[in-house]
Amino acid sequence: MSLEADAGRGLVVGRFAPSPSGPLHFGSLVAALGSCLSARSQGGQWLLRIEDVDTPRCVPGAAEGILRTLERFGFEWDGPVVWQSARGAAYRDAFARLQAAGRIFGCACTRKEMADSALARDGTRRYPGTCRDGLPPSRAARAYRLRVEPGTVSFDDRVQGTIAEDVAADVGDFVLLRADGLFAYQLAVVVDDAEAGITEVVRGADLLDSTCRQILLQRLLDFPVPVYAHLPVACNAAGEKLSKQTLARAVDEAEPARLLVEVLAFLGQCPPADLAASGLAAVWAWGRDNWSMDKVPRRRIQPAPGYA
Ligand code: GLU
């Protein structure tokens, strides 16, 4: 089919973008299945991107393990896998455009120097603006920040409703190029989503607090703003998000159909009780035919089955 025909029909392009910091756990499977079924149920494409831009957090072999697990669960993605580690030139380009527009400044502050500053919603420190109007005498830039102007950014999340944030007041000027020379996740994700033509971002609600920053960057870079849907994040009995830090178990690959049905139930889709017994292909077919974003519970965190 020609690109024009796709554009005419408003082709939906979704994606799953795991960070290879450990094996897939129940929480990552939620984002994978939710993003995939949303795109597929609209006749759209679903792309896969390995977010290995933050190299110190990457675990050797984890990315390959994630790809194998996704295949085992019957996921099929369109096109080649995109690796952020190979995308430095695109991030540099976007950074240079922002720099040319006067939106970037060098910052000498260390984490310790900012330890007293207020906490933003996502737990990071609000930048107090120390280097905004020039570096203090005899200090060198460590990181580079985006100059954020006051004003509210808002969007209608397909699950969480209307979200609004004054990024300048809440987060302040945020880092785009880190002190260790790596581009920040916020920049990388925006550049990659735009280049891939992503029209909808379906991911965990732990990233809801990043979205207004990302929309701000999309506007500054003249990128289209995708539709967003933030799914409940899976937590353990202590209410902690499943992650490597909270020792989330890798998904059990022995019974992929049963686990996908559990994810469907977690996402409020009410799969029939005997669906898993019909096999993996039947679970996928049911998911594609019955997916409804409207049924996804509107909460940011929800206990995962098996973690009571
Ligand atoms: N790489 C991020 C994660 O694994 C997801 C980023 C995104 O979906 O925008 O938490």
Side-chain angles (χ1 to χ4, degrees), residues 36-61:
C36 186
L37 288 182
S38 176
R40 296 293 190 218
S41 65
Q42 299 172 78
Q45 293 183 345
W46 183 69
L47 314 184
L48 192 57
R49 178 170 76 233
I50 298 291
E51 298 216 315
D52 56 352
V53 70
D54 190 353
T55 38
R57 286 188 54 222
C58 296
V59 171

Side-chain angles (χ1 to χ4, degrees), residues 109-129 145 167-175 213:
C109 300
T110 60
R111 226 176 262 256
K112 211 164 150 203
E113 285 169 326
M114 290 194 301
D116 293 336
S117 126
L119 282 181
R121 282 186 210 177
D122 66 354
T124 57
R125 295 280 163 197
R126 183 183 175 279
Y127 182 63
R145 293 179 180 270
V167 179
D170 188 38
V171 184
D173 304 317
F174 57 92
V175 171
R213 265 171 276 178

Side-chain angles (χ1 to χ4, degrees), residues 220-275:
L220 290 172
L221 289 162
D222 279 326
F223 291 157
V225 177
V227 170
Y228 285 96
H230 285 86
L231 309 174
V233 165
C235 67
N236 60 21
E240 300 160 329
K241 179 196 160 200
L242 298 189
S243 69
K244 207 177 102 188
Q245 286 74 26
T246 60
L247 307 177
R249 291 188 294 274
V251 288
D252 178 1
E253 297 186 16
E255 292 177 278
R258 190 183 53 76
L259 208 55
L260 286 189
V261 169
E262 282 185 2
V263 174
L264 287 169
F266 179 91
L267 287 171
Q269 305 298 304
C270 307
D274 56 355
L275 180 58

Side-chain angles (χ1 to χ4, degrees), residues 15 17-19 51 185 189 203 207:
R15 49 56 154 198
S19 304
E51 298 216 315
Y185 155 71
V189 77
R203 60 186 178 188
L207 292 161

Side-chain angles (χ1 to χ4, degrees), residues 135-160:
L135 290 166
S138 71
R139 296 284 302 271
R142 305 174 73 242
Y144 288 83
R145 293 179 180 270
L146 180 75
R147 192 179 294 282
V148 180
E149 304 302 347
T152 303
V153 178
S154 69
F155 66 100
D156 285 317
D157 190 87
R158 286 284 328 279
V159 177
Q160 309 293 339

Side-chain angles (χ1 to χ4, degrees), residues 80-92:
V81 176
V82 170
W83 297 73
Q84 284 191 326
S85 52
R87 305 249 320 126
Y91 308 148
R92 271 193 295 281

